[in-house]
Amino acid sequence: MDEVFAFPISLFSKQNVKEYNVRLEMHPSVFDQNGKETVLLPVKELGLPETYHQPWHGRPHRILVYPTSKGSVWGITAEIISEIIKLL
């Protein structure tokens, strides 16, 4: 269920944000169950370096979560809130 709600910024600055990390893997193409390839990033056509022609591993990716009475605020919304709090 999608919902819009508002909280004062002071709520987020007073509580500790929870931080999690996930590991991202990058794949320039994927194969379906029949072996058909779907190109997600046309590396050859774009002239990208050879290292991008095969799957590569990225660094851990941080995910911030602010628990609230209405549910968790996370993703880009939590990142924006975190940056605003740093500026205040």
Side-chain angles (χ1 to χ4, degrees):
M1 176 173 89
D2 294 334
E3 187 176 2
V4 176
F5 50 87
F7 289 104
I9 195 73
S10 61
L11 173 81
F12 298 103
S13 62
K14 290 178 184 172
Q15 69 172 329
N16 290 330
V17 64
K18 295 181 183 206
E19 184 175 325
Y20 300 92
N21 288 288
V22 295
R23 182 175 170 220
L24 300 177
E25 292 187 13
M26 315 310 173
H27 295 267
S29 63
V30 293
F31 293 89
D32 66 16
Q33 63 271 17
N34 298 320
K36 181 180 180 227
E37 181 179 25
T38 299
V39 175
L40 304 171
L41 178 65
V43 292
K44 290 179 184 176
E45 292 85 351
L46 294 171
L48 299 179
E50 189 68 31
T51 56
Y52 293 98
H53 292 226
Q54 299 297 321
W56 70 94
H57 303 289
R59 297 180 179 169
H61 178 72
R62 177 181 82 162
I63 297 176
L64 299 179
V65 178
Y66 288 98
T68 74
S69 60
K70 293 284 194 176
S72 295
V73 175
W74 65 283
I76 189 68
T77 306
E79 290 287 344
I80 292 168
I81 291 168
S82 176
E83 289 302 313
I84 290 171
I85 291 168
K86 286 179 190 174
L87 294 172
L88 297 175

